[in-house]
Amino acid sequence: MMTSRRWWDAAMIAVAALLIAVTVLWDQPDAGGEWGVLAVLAVVLLCYFSWGRRYIGGDGALPGLLYAGVLLVALGVGIAFDPTFAFLQIILFPSLWVLSGSTRQAVVLNVLTIVPITLGYWAFFGPSGILTGLGASVLAVAFSLSLGAWITSIERSGAERARLLDELMAVQGQLAAANREVGVDSERARLAREIHDTIAQSLTGLVMVAQRTGSALARVTDADPADASAAVSALAGARADVELMESMARDALTEARGLVAAIAPVRVESTLAEALHRLAERFERETGVQVHTELAALAPGAAGGGASGALGAELDVVLLRCAQEALANVRKHARAGTASVGISRSPEQVVLTVDDDGVGPSRSPDAGAGGGFGLAGMTERLALVGGTVRLEQASPRGSRLTVAIPLAPTPDPAPLAPPLAPSLAETARLVVRGELNSTSRSLDGKKGEVQR
């Protein structure tokens, strides 16, 4: 607004109209003085509209400074005709500020106004007007410098804020790009975990069953032709293995289609207990390792499990994947004969335990090996829900993998009393206590999907 030519045009016309009114209608100058005032005012308006207005808000260019000189000379000549011409200072001092290219230049131009004002008063009043003109001009210049410095500081502060805002917008853009990159990396890691937990494990099982089938067929080929019963038994075992391979291949195909279609974890379609039972049965069929399950804590009404015993789809998927990975480790490294999968639950946490009677983690050929997505992927998956995993030596032999996931606290049951409507504060407290943690876990767990 300070550099808008339209506003400056209106201000210049308003000041000119004020000076004309004061000179012609109100003040009575010396004979012929009003014509001198009007002539000086006409010169000022002519210079302003011919070239001065083009340098409003300029950078201290020479034509703008020449226009400032015209204003200073016109001020002194006009006061010499009539002291009321000092009203021109209303527009003169702001003009000097906006015509200057720097604060120093504006200060110099403001100080120079002392000269024409003093000379104008001297020309009109004689030597007695020098002190009056000097005092009036010094006060006017002091006011102009104070007000101009204040406005300049505000302008600089605004420019600094605009610069900081631009930098903030640039940083926000960089953060947005970094967040996108993090989201892409997170999504890649999630897909790697999903492929490892589903298709890769199914293919590993297929390889092992195929090797077992090949061994059975080799026994048929090498069997004594007179021993038909041994050949028939080996063929029956091979046929069962082929059927198992077909079932596993169909499962792997279903999982692959699910990943391609939804790019999301394979959800537990039934209860967690049923899914773990099926996992144990399938693992037993694939490997011959006997698997015991202890899942009473998931039954409705179980101690510490609430009325339904349900943990929620997110925790169900996490626990199922952890159990699947733990049994995959048993198959790859433990050389065990039996294993067990158990779930225990308290109001504070749910614990998954997978035991085996194999060689134990310290004697496993892959113990301490880096890389892969086994325990590392399990740790990352559990971190999304605030859980932890621990692998240790079991007693007397074998290994034990323990997964602990904290549960959101649930409100205590209300005492037997006439039902009362809870207050708004109590309702908010219960909602925050019961849902905040689970909501945070859900948001963190779905972060990759939202960013995708």
Side-chain angles (χ1 to χ4, degrees), residues 198-213 240-256 278-279 281-287 324 331:
T198 56
I199 301 174
Q201 292 188 5
S202 297
L203 294 177
T204 301
L206 276 171
V207 170
M208 296 186 67
V209 175
Q211 291 174 346
R212 189 171 65 187
T213 304
D241 286 342
V242 170
E243 292 175 354
L244 178 59
M245 291 169 60
E246 180 182 0
S247 175
M248 294 171 64
R250 291 183 184 276
D251 291 341
L253 180 60
T254 300
E255 291 169 343
R278 289 198 302 268
L279 176 64
E281 293 172 357
R282 174 178 164 180
F283 184 82
E284 192 168 332
R285 290 178 58 198
E286 294 174 4
T287 64
Q324 188 177 20
R331 172 166 48 194

Side-chain angles (χ1 to χ4, degrees), residues 102-117:
S102 64
T103 302
R104 179 180 299 179
Q105 198 174 71
V107 171
V108 171
L109 291 176
N110 275 264
V111 172
L112 285 178
T113 58
I114 296 176
V115 177
I117 294 175

Side-chain angles (χ1 to χ4, degrees), residues 5-71:
R5 294 178 182 176
R6 184 175 56 185
W7 287 101
W8 278 98
D9 293 346
M12 182 63 72
I13 293 174
V15 171
L18 174 64
L19 286 173
I20 292 173
V22 170
T23 301
V24 176
L25 302 178
W26 178 28
D27 192 39
Q28 295 297 326
D30 293 340
E34 67 273 13
W35 295 109
V37 170
L38 294 177
V40 173
L41 186 59
V43 171
V44 170
L45 291 176
L46 178 64
C47 292
Y48 171 77
F49 285 103
S50 61
W51 93 84
R53 66 189 298 269
R54 288 181 291 178
Y55 298 96
I56 296 296
D59 55 355
L62 182 59
L65 296 179
L66 291 177
Y67 171 67
V70 170
L71 290 178

Side-chain angles (χ1 to χ4, degrees), residues 161-210:
R161 291 180 181 178
R163 184 185 66 80
L164 293 176
L165 181 60
D166 292 339
E167 292 181 358
L168 178 61
M169 296 296 292
V171 171
Q172 286 180 339
Q174 295 174 0
L175 288 177
N179 286 336
R180 285 193 294 270
E181 294 177 0
V182 170
V184 170
D185 293 340
S186 176
E187 182 67 7
R188 288 173 177 171
R190 186 187 69 83
L191 288 175
R193 289 195 302 270
E194 292 301 325
I195 294 173
H196 174 268
D197 291 345
T198 56
I199 301 174
Q201 292 188 5
S202 297
L203 294 177
T204 301
L206 276 171
V207 170
M208 296 186 67
V209 175

